[in-house]
């Protein structure tokens, strides 16, 4: 069964801390997405990765294809970063459907 | 990039009724999807909305319960039929640009069935 595992499930940090959220998957993928879901339910796509590393502002996403692992880093965290972060993968040979991780709930305290 | 407008953003419905959720994209996209997110859970794909033809449903979801329309490349609707309290969820519309693989999501429709 193709699964996506995220850790940690919940994360509480102090403002300014460096945060890492991890995602592991089981077979070859064509793309991995990091998504951010706000308390109201809306989802924003943060990154799409197939190799290497991407950076946008204080967010950095990396992927190691050999180890089937990706990380999302937040530098200088801020309370407005509080959200659920979801990893989703599109497996090679699939119809293009995404498999979602269960999400990491991040709370950044001032 | 694309912006997705989804409505209603939330609704409270009575058991046995039906509700139609609309999804409008501000540009043409290759693929549109409908997801359900039950409380405390991650997203589950209901179906892929195909332009001009019947939607492709995932295991556990059927057309009679979740009829979907996609009359053109920028608009789709999902109807939740004969609702029960178990249908209380967030329903999300998503689109993917075929050329880039980039993903876009609506703000979600939070449905409560009494």
């Amino acid at each position: 069964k193709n699964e996506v595992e995220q850790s940690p499930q919940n994360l509480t940090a102090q403002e300014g801390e460096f945060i890492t959220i991890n995602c592991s998957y089981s077979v070859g993928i064509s793309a991995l997405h990091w998504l951010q879901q706000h308390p109201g339910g809306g989802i924003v796509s943060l990154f799409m990765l197939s190799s290497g590393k991407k950076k946008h502002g204080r967010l950095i996403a990396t992927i190691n294809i050999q180890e089937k692992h990706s990380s999302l880093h937040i530098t200088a965290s801020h309370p407005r970063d509080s959200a659920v972060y979801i990893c989703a993968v599109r497996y090679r040979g699939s119809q293009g459907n995404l498999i979602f991780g269960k999400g990491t709930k991040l709370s950044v305290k001032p | 990039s694309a912006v997705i407008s989804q409505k209603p953003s939330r609704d409270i419905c009575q058991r046995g009724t039906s509700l139609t959720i609309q999804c409008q994209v501000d540009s043409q996209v290759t693929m549109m999807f409908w997801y359900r997110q039950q409380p405390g859970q991650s997203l589950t794909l209901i179906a892929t909305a195909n332009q001009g033809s019947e939607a492709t449903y995932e295991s556990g979801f059927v057309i009679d319960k979740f009829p979907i329309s996609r009359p053109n490349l920028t608009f789709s609707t999902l109807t939740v039929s004969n609702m029960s309290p178990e249908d209380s969820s967030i329903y999300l519309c998503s689109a993917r640009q075929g050329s880039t693989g980039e993903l876009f999501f609506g703000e979600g429709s939070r449905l409560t069935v009494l």
Side-chain angles (χ1 to χ4, degrees):
Chain A
K1 182 180 177 182
N2 298 334
E3 288 189 348
V4 178
E5 299 286 339
Q6 272 187 251
S7 63
Q9 196 172 351
N10 291 283
L11 181 56
T12 300
Q14 287 298 127
E15 184 173 355
E17 285 185 4
F18 181 84
I19 288 163
T20 296
I21 299 170
N22 297 299
C23 176
S24 297
Y25 51 92
S26 54
V27 295
I29 63 170
S30 58
L32 181 145
H33 297 262
W34 281 104
L35 310 171
Q36 180 190 54
Q37 185 170 32
H38 290 284
I43 292 177
V44 174
S45 178
L46 299 175
F47 295 104
M48 183 178 71
L49 294 162
S50 55
S51 65
K53 175 180 173 177
K54 288 189 176 179
K55 184 176 190 292
H56 185 252
R58 295 180 293 106
L59 302 179
I60 302 167
T62 64
I63 188 167
N64 185 317
I65 298 296
Q66 286 72 33
E67 295 186 4
K68 298 184 175 58
H69 180 269
S70 176
S71 293
L72 176 68
H73 306 286
I74 304 175
T75 61
S77 60
H78 190 276
R80 65 174 175 265
D81 296 326
S82 299
V84 175
Y85 293 84
I86 301 169
C87 172
V89 303
R90 188 157 68 247
Y91 284 105
R92 250 187 258 129
S94 74
Q95 302 261 337
N97 298 343
L98 293 174
I99 307 297
F100 293 85
K102 293 186 176 177
T104 295
K105 186 174 182 179
L106 172 65
S107 178
V108 181
K109 306 292 186 188
Chain B
S1 66
V3 175
I4 297 181
S5 301
Q6 192 176 331
K7 59 180 181 181
S9 58
R10 58 177 62 234
D11 207 339
I12 299 173
C13 302
Q14 296 299 316
R15 183 195 299 259
T17 63
S18 298
L19 178 75
T20 296
I21 303 167
Q22 297 182 1
C23 176
Q24 178 74 56
V25 190
D26 69 348
S27 59
Q28 292 187 350
V29 288
T30 309
M31 302 186 78
M32 294 182 74
F33 306 93
W34 287 98
Y35 291 93
R36 181 174 74 181
Q37 186 178 31
Q38 294 179 303
Q41 303 296 313
S42 193
L43 283 76
T44 300
L45 180 65
I46 297 172
T48 301
N50 300 309
Q51 192 242 331
S53 64
E54 190 172 292
T56 304
Y57 289 84
E58 295 301 302
S59 176
F61 298 96
V62 295
I63 188 171
D64 289 346
K65 176 67 176 176
F66 298 102
I68 287 170
S69 77
R70 189 181 174 192
N72 56 52
L73 290 175
T74 64
F75 184 77
S76 179
T77 66
L78 167 74
T79 299
V80 186
S81 302
N82 188 24
M83 288 184 284
S84 67
E86 292 71 36
D87 294 320
S88 298
S89 291
I90 296 174
Y91 292 85
L92 287 134
C93 171
S94 175
R96 190 170 87 225
Q97 202 55 274
S99 56
T100 63
E102 200 174 356
L103 278 180
F104 309 96
F105 287 86
E107 287 294 308
S109 299
R110 188 180 293 268
L111 178 61
T112 301
V113 184
L114 304 177

